[in-house]
Amino acid sequence: MSSYQVEGAFGRSPSIWDELSQRKGAIKDGSDASLADDFYHRYKEDIRLSKELGIQDFRLSFSPTRFFDENGNETVEGIHFYQEVIQEILRNGLRPVVTLYHWDLPCYLEKKGGFTSPEIVSFFTRYAEIVAEHFSSLVSSFITFNEPQCFLGIGYQRRDHAPSTYHTFEEMKRATHHVLLAHAHMYQVLKRANPHCEVSFVNTMNVPLPIKDNPLLLEKCRQKLFSIPKDETDFYSISIYLDPLVKGYYPEGFLPDNLKEGDLEFIQKSRPDYLGLNIYTGTYFTLDEKNQLVESSHVEKEEESDLFWLKRRPGSLYYGPKFFYERYRLPLVITENGGCYRDNLEEGQIHDAKRVLYLTSYLDSLKKAIEDHIDIRGYYYWSLLDNFEWAEGLSKRFGLLYVDYKDNLKRYRKDSFYAYQNIIKHWN
């Protein structure tokens, strides 16, 4: 879960999402995350429910807005809050997996240029130093950044997400380089504090899926996933971020003008211990009469969800890991995967058969990938709770637990909660 989506605004400084939520029409259902799921006060209940579910890891994010006030001064309230949360996770026999940035940048940093400013690297380095000082003995698994495709590509280009400001192609290349430099500094800080901790970097993607078993089609789908779009302003590409991080070079045409001697070597020395993949869906492709890759427009009704872009495509959790492992040869963890459906609360029960089908079919595909010797180390369903779904607001539900926003945020176990609980018990 991410801090902004579940915690509520208690005891923190403003983030770029607080600012965006105040703009008329920015959040589709008109809601905001000032209360969200109130995880800030109810974390013990939610951690207990996680233990009941049967999971081994509890993934959460720290918010930098709890470590720094609106003027950039360090505060201690966030440290104390997250120490209590982590201790509660450990008391319940779970392993905390902490993401350090899940989109909630402090407003004062965005006013200074956000990720286009070199100051952002110093900020995240200092942030990591605070985390290392207070949490390195409690947390053994960290994620530096979650989905640069979204917080850069959608926030700075498509502008559907915070901060919803436009940046030029050259500025976007600088921002990408700053993210990778910040990751490298954070990696080094965390490893110095605890050489045995694992540090990752998470990407998301829409997986190109072959509509039939054809070697040429399979290869073209693989190439499609890592290709640079013809529209060079699209920073949703995987290669822009992972090629310099893992392979040591930027794709052609994406070399940033703020690249300094030694930067790429420093970045590559901080390559992740595993790659985190957020995989929700894919797009079917076929070959035309000239053997060129073309999108297949056929969509089955049962594949649709409550979000237009999220089709139930279980093959995504086979081909996505397969393509990534073949290219980067690093262990993989599925850090997010989940289905968004319209749930109805009826006499205290939620019969979410479509989410159950989504979950079981995707995990069948993941099991096939594991059987094919793809090095997959873990899987996290997104998400435990219904929560504030960014620009969609509170109306879109991903959770295994239903949150009743009309009745004191009461939690209800959905059928999918019990289905996943049963899968965990019998997984081998």
Side-chain angles (χ1 to χ4, degrees):
M1 60 177 66
S2 84
S3 54
Y4 190 82
Q5 291 178 275
V6 299
E7 287 178 1
F10 315 97
R12 63 169 175 78
S13 63
S15 83
I16 55 175
W17 275 94
D18 293 313
E19 188 173 86
L20 183 68
S21 296
Q22 294 173 10
R23 301 183 201 175
K24 186 177 181 179
I27 308 302
K28 292 181 181 178
D29 66 0
S31 64
D32 61 44
S34 57
L35 184 58
D37 294 334
D38 195 17
F39 180 79
Y40 187 83
H41 295 107
R42 305 177 70 149
Y43 65 87
K44 291 184 179 180
E45 174 189 0
D46 294 331
I47 293 168
R48 177 182 57 77
L49 286 164
S50 298
K51 180 180 181 180
E52 178 187 330
L53 180 61
I55 59 176
Q56 296 176 335
D57 292 356
F58 189 97
R59 185 189 172 202
L60 72 158
S61 75
F62 287 176
S63 175
T65 63
R66 296 198 182 280
F67 291 82
F68 300 89
D69 67 20
E70 58 189 11
N71 297 312
N73 301 311
E74 296 175 22
T75 61
V76 298
E77 289 82 2
I79 294 170
H80 295 159
F81 168 66
Y82 287 123
Q83 283 178 331
E84 291 176 4
V85 172
I86 296 299
Q87 292 285 9
E88 188 67 20
I89 292 170
L90 293 170
R91 277 193 290 269
N92 278 269
L94 305 176
R95 185 183 74 139
V97 177
V98 174
T99 303
L100 296 184
Y101 184 68
H102 201 133
W103 306 5
D104 45 354
L105 193 71
C107 284
Y108 82 90
L109 280 170
E110 185 56 38
K111 291 175 183 176
K112 294 182 177 182
F115 284 96
T116 66
S117 168
E119 187 174 329
I120 203 79
V121 179
S122 299
F123 168 79
F124 276 105
T125 303
R126 180 60 190 135
Y127 174 35
E129 289 170 347
I130 296 171
V131 170
E133 179 183 354
H134 296 282
F135 294 93
S136 61
S137 64
L138 300 173
V139 179
S140 61
S141 184
F142 294 95
I143 294 165
T144 56
F145 290 98
N146 186 77
E147 299 182 342
Q149 292 80 10
C150 295
F151 67 80
L152 292 186
I154 302 180
Y156 282 168
Q157 286 190 310
R158 303 183 191 181
R159 289 179 283 178
D160 295 325
H161 284 184
S164 190
T165 56
Y166 177 75
H167 290 285
T168 66
F169 180 53
E170 291 301 322
E171 288 172 329
M172 290 297 293
K173 289 193 290 185
R174 288 178 214 137
T176 298
H177 192 54
H178 289 150
V179 168
L180 295 177
L181 281 175
H183 160 81
H185 282 282
M186 296 164 82
Y187 179 100
Q188 296 297 333
V189 167
L190 294 167
K191 288 287 188 176
R192 281 196 298 270
N194 178 4
H196 301 293
C197 76
E198 58 183 16
V199 183
S200 184
F201 183 93
V202 169
N203 288 263
T204 189
M205 76 250 28
N206 183 305
V207 181
L209 302 172
I211 203 163
K212 58 183 177 180
D213 187 14
N214 177 299
L216 179 60
L217 176 58
L218 181 68
E219 177 58 29
K220 286 184 176 289
C221 284
R222 179 186 291 107
Q223 293 172 4
K224 171 76 174 175
L225 179 59
F226 302 107
S227 67
I228 304 298
K230 291 182 179 179
D231 177 3
E232 64 179 12
T233 63
D234 188 348
F235 277 74
Y236 207 80
S237 171
I238 299 297
S239 303
I240 295 169
Y241 307 98
L242 283 187
D243 281 3
L245 184 56
V246 179
K247 292 180 170 290
Y249 58 82
Y250 277 101
E252 184 178 354
F254 282 82
L255 202 66
D257 60 11
N258 56 337
L259 178 70
K260 296 178 181 178
E261 185 176 353
D263 279 357
L264 282 172
E265 291 80 5
F266 178 59
I267 289 169
Q268 198 179 15
K269 285 179 181 177
S270 303
R271 57 192 262 166
D273 296 307
Y274 66 87
L275 289 181
L277 305 182
N278 293 352
I279 299 177
Y280 288 88
T281 191
T283 299
Y284 287 124
F285 285 91
T286 188
L287 298 174
D288 64 14
E289 63 278 1
K290 297 181 180 179
N291 279 333
Q292 297 301 307
L293 196 66
V294 292
E295 185 174 336
S296 174
S297 59
H298 181 68
V299 178
E300 297 287 349
K301 184 69 175 175
E302 67 172 13
E303 295 176 334
E304 296 178 350
S305 74
D306 201 28
L307 284 169
F308 75 93
W309 57 266
L310 207 175
K311 307 294 189 297
R312 187 181 65 83
R313 302 278 168 79
S316 306
L317 222 50
Y318 174 78
Y319 288 105
K322 173 181 172 65
F323 294 156
F324 266 83
Y325 188 63
E326 289 170 346
R327 182 177 180 87
Y328 295 114
R329 290 295 170 181
L330 286 175
L332 307 174
V333 172
I334 308 305
T335 38
E336 291 181 26
N337 167 251
C340 179
Y341 297 97
R342 194 167 299 175
D343 297 320
N344 296 310
L345 179 61
E346 299 174 352
E347 297 181 352
Q349 296 182 321
I350 301 93
H351 302 300
D352 56 338
K354 290 183 178 180
R355 187 175 288 103
V356 172
L357 177 60
Y358 179 103
L359 178 61
T360 55
S361 61
Y362 272 72
L363 286 175
D364 283 345
S365 288
L366 186 66
K367 184 169 285 190
K368 182 175 183 293
I370 295 170
E371 290 169 352
D372 284 355
H373 306 292
I374 297 168
D375 190 1
I376 297 169
R377 304 286 177 88
Y379 168 91
Y380 304 148
Y381 179 82
W382 184 272
S383 61
L384 176 68
L385 299 164
D386 294 332
N387 54 45
F388 182 79
E389 183 51 35
W390 306 113
E392 299 289 340
L394 295 169
S395 61
K396 304 299 180 183
R397 297 178 179 269
F398 277 88
L400 300 172
L401 293 169
Y402 182 94
V403 179
D404 192 344
Y405 297 111
K406 297 179 180 179
D407 184 12
N408 196 34
L409 303 177
K410 187 175 180 180
R411 277 71 159 144
Y412 292 89
R413 299 164 184 80
K414 303 179 187 180
D415 284 357
S416 56
F417 179 95
Y418 296 112
Y420 190 36
Q421 185 183 60
N422 187 60
I423 290 170
I424 293 170
K425 285 180 179 177
H426 297 95
W427 184 272
N428 53 49

